[in-house]
Amino acid sequence: MTVTKKRVAILISGRGSNMAALIKAAKAKNFPAEILLVVSNRPEAQGLALAQAEGITTAVVDHKTFADREEFDGALHRTLMDANIELICLAGFMRVLTDDLVERWRGRMLNIHPSLLPAFKGTNTHHQALLAGVASHGATVHFVVPELDSGPIVMQTEVPVLPGDTEEKLSARVLKEEHKIYPAALKLLASGKIRIEGDRVVAV
């Protein structure tokens, strides 16, 4: 039986470790998505070379060359449309997208965040977790909505905070779990097994 694969773009700004996990997962014959495009807002992003080595088309939409966020997002949207992209995965993409672009891709854009949302939104999440003295930390895959780190949650994984943990140690353990749940969440979306109902994700 032939699996109809959704056309996916991954947006990155750096090394692209979650991108690599998605690419690896998508190589499976029965995976319902194919990674056809990797876009970075930074020409020097290490992940671009990795994607190219995997034979994936890459593009750079350098945010520094645009007058404002609206112009940048317009160029990004055109790049995605030109490649007939159906789903987007943000993987360490360090740009806040305009409400207009987010709404265009509502229900079709995923992000992974290194905390158990709604706890510790924004950046420096591991520092925030250690400062707060929580017993558990983790990662969340969620749909992207205009409000930062607030979209309906697709999947979460929990990581214990251990005595003597540093930001680096905690980050490494969380990242290992991110690499598991992001491909799993994309598989659910691409296979049509989940949808947004109000502010939450439900199984179809």
Side-chain angles (χ1 to χ4, degrees), residues 25-78:
K27 288 181 179 179
K29 188 178 291 186
N30 64 342
F31 197 82
E34 54 183 337
I35 313 302
L36 293 175
L37 178 66
V38 170
V39 184
S40 178
N41 65 305
R42 293 178 176 164
E44 72 279 9
Q46 294 171 291
L48 291 170
L50 193 155
Q52 290 161 5
E54 294 285 351
I56 296 169
T57 299
T58 61
V60 173
V61 183
D62 188 348
H63 65 278
K64 293 178 182 176
T65 65
F66 295 91
D68 53 34
R69 287 172 58 205
E70 286 73 21
E71 279 194 18
F72 168 77
D73 280 10
L76 178 59
H77 181 68
R78 288 190 296 275

Side-chain angles (χ1 to χ4, degrees), residues 116-132:
L116 293 172
L117 290 174
F120 312 130
K121 296 179 181 181
T123 58
N124 302 316
T125 59
H126 310 305
H127 176 74
Q128 290 184 62
L130 291 173
L131 203 62

Side-chain angles (χ1 to χ4, degrees), residues 98-144:
T98 58
D99 292 0
D100 180 62
L101 183 65
V102 169
E103 289 296 347
R104 288 186 185 195
W105 291 91
R106 178 177 283 272
R108 297 185 294 147
M109 187 189 303
L110 295 175
N111 182 48
I112 189 156
H113 183 77
S115 81
L116 293 172
L117 290 174
F120 312 130
K121 296 179 181 181
T123 58
N124 302 316
T125 59
H126 310 305
H127 176 74
Q128 290 184 62
L130 291 173
L131 203 62
V134 294
S136 294
H137 191 39
T140 304
V141 180
H142 64 95
F143 282 101
V144 178

Side-chain angles (χ1 to χ4, degrees), residues 167-187:
E167 289 179 46
E168 292 74 21
K169 289 179 182 177
L170 186 55
S171 172
R173 290 206 311 282
V174 170
L175 190 62
K176 191 177 289 186
E177 296 304 312
E178 289 179 37
H179 294 168
K180 297 174 186 176
I181 66 168
Y182 210 177
L186 175 58
K187 186 175 184 178

